[in-house]
Amino acid sequence: MAENCGGKCSSCSKDCSSRPLHETLRKDSSVKKVIGIVSGKGGVGKSLVTSLLACAVSRDGKRCAVLDADITGPSIPKSFGMNNARAESVAEKKEDGTDGGYLKTVKTKTGIQLMSMNFLLQNETDPVVWRGPVISGAVKQFWTDVCWEDVDYMFVDCPPGTGDVPLTVFQSLPVDGIIIVASPQQLVRVIVEKAVNMANMMNIPILGLIENMSYVKCPDCNKEIKIFGESNIDKISEEFKIPLLARIPMEQRVSKSVDDGDIENLQVAEIADAVKAVENLK
């Protein structure tokens, strides 16, 4: 390890034995910043948060992309109304003269670049019945064998937990930071702690926490109704010294926008601090 190492390998130019061996992008690809969206459990809204952040940062004039690393349960295409799209495969000769090729991203109406397993299936409902090493290999190929065109911010929608795929993302991609998504249930502390411990083990900076499904707002009196009970996310934020970036309410308009594939026209004011945290990455 280099002297005075801060553990931020993705932004370090020094060559040392502890530096992870990230997979290399294609020569015609460019990705400046990579942000992982993670959680210790499923069903908390990682894909929603990933999509909202990509859309919000894109509206600020940045070129954004989403790498859907949830190979067996992809939901990004549906959110953007691209569930019937298919990724174009381009054949080419490798430098050694052998046959090769690459994939083109699927672009949304506003120009966000997407890559998801669903773009490679004949039918979007076809199951992906693969073991862990094959799934991890697919995630690597989404990074190395896809032409990512001049991306300012790539958001990686990780599957839940701390298994093969999040580990592959942390080890193979130059992740600049992660955002941990949680929900208000009391189990959340254990869930967050797992994600925090994994990030610390891999020397990945944590940008902050986002609590999804935080409350429902009464349409008559505007009162916040805590349907899961009182949240302890503020205590968790303080205990782990991680900024609480957003508390996203449950709203019918949000679920309708996702179901309609119209998330690019959805604006959620509560994620403003999370957008700033991403755009302030150095």
Side-chain angles (χ1 to χ4, degrees):
M1 182 176 291
E3 188 178 356
N4 301 322
C5 176
K8 297 182 179 180
C9 298
S10 61
S11 59
C12 177
S13 61
K14 295 183 181 297
D15 187 18
C16 64
S17 59
S18 63
R19 188 181 181 86
L21 298 174
H22 295 136
E23 298 291 330
T24 304
L25 280 171
R26 285 178 51 82
K27 61 183 179 182
D28 54 356
S29 291
S30 173
V31 178
K32 293 176 183 175
K33 296 293 181 184
V34 179
I35 300 95
I37 312 300
V38 305
S39 178
K41 72 180 291 293
V44 298
K46 291 182 302 303
S47 297
L48 172 65
V49 169
T50 301
S51 302
L52 289 175
L53 287 174
C55 292
V57 175
S58 178
R59 280 193 290 269
D60 285 344
K62 307 299 183 182
R63 291 177 293 271
C64 293
V66 176
L67 190 160
D68 189 354
D70 196 348
I71 302 297
T72 60
S75 53
I76 291 296
K78 174 69 174 175
S79 300
F80 286 90
M82 310 299 291
N83 43 305
N84 292 320
R86 295 295 174 264
E88 181 183 350
S89 178
V90 180
E92 67 176 359
K93 288 288 184 182
K94 295 182 180 179
E95 293 180 358
D96 60 4
T98 59
D99 291 330
Y102 64 93
L103 293 171
K104 288 187 176 181
T105 58
V106 171
K107 293 184 180 178
T108 70
K109 302 182 197 73
T110 62
I112 297 172
Q113 299 175 52
L114 309 179
M115 182 49 63
S116 173
M117 192 66 206
N118 266 12
F119 297 147
L120 306 177
L121 301 176
Q122 185 173 356
N123 302 296
E124 66 169 332
T125 55
D126 290 344
V128 179
V129 188
W130 292 348
R131 294 191 183 275
V134 181
I135 294 173
S136 296
V139 172
K140 288 181 184 180
Q141 286 184 290
F142 280 178
W143 175 255
T144 60
D145 296 353
V146 172
C147 182
W148 299 102
E149 300 175 15
D150 201 15
V151 175
D152 293 318
Y153 295 93
M154 173 184 282
F155 297 90
V156 182
D157 184 17
C158 292
T162 55
D164 286 346
V165 173
L167 182 61
T168 296
V169 170
F170 286 3
Q171 288 183 327
S172 302
L173 277 61
V175 179
D176 295 279
I178 65 167
I179 290 175
I180 300 173
V181 183
S183 55
Q185 292 95 330
Q186 291 302 307
L187 182 63
V188 69
R189 189 192 182 284
V190 176
I191 296 164
V192 170
E193 188 167 3
K194 285 179 182 292
V196 168
N197 288 341
M198 183 175 189
N200 290 338
M201 287 172 61
M202 305 299 296
N203 290 323
I204 303 293
I206 301 172
L207 303 184
L209 293 169
I210 290 180
E211 183 179 73
N212 188 35
M213 301 178 286
S214 191
Y215 55 90
V216 174
K217 191 166 283 189
C218 175
D220 297 321
C221 66
N222 224 30
K223 178 182 178 181
E224 293 183 4
I225 303 169
K226 311 290 179 59
I227 60 174
F228 291 112
E230 285 298 325
S231 168
N232 59 354
I233 197 71
D234 291 301
K235 292 180 180 178
I236 294 169
S237 171
E238 182 179 353
E239 180 180 350
F240 291 102
K241 296 180 173 56
I242 302 171
L244 177 57
L245 300 176
R247 294 172 64 241
I248 302 175
M250 296 178 70
E251 296 181 284
Q252 188 178 36
R253 70 186 185 100
V254 173
S255 58
K256 186 176 188 308
S257 291
V258 172
D259 289 343
D260 292 346
D262 194 35
I263 200 161
E264 288 172 288
N265 289 321
L266 175 67
Q267 297 193 37
V268 176
E270 287 83 0
I271 66 167
D273 287 343
V275 172
K276 288 180 183 177
V278 169
E279 294 181 346
N280 288 338
L281 268 171
K282 301 299 182 184

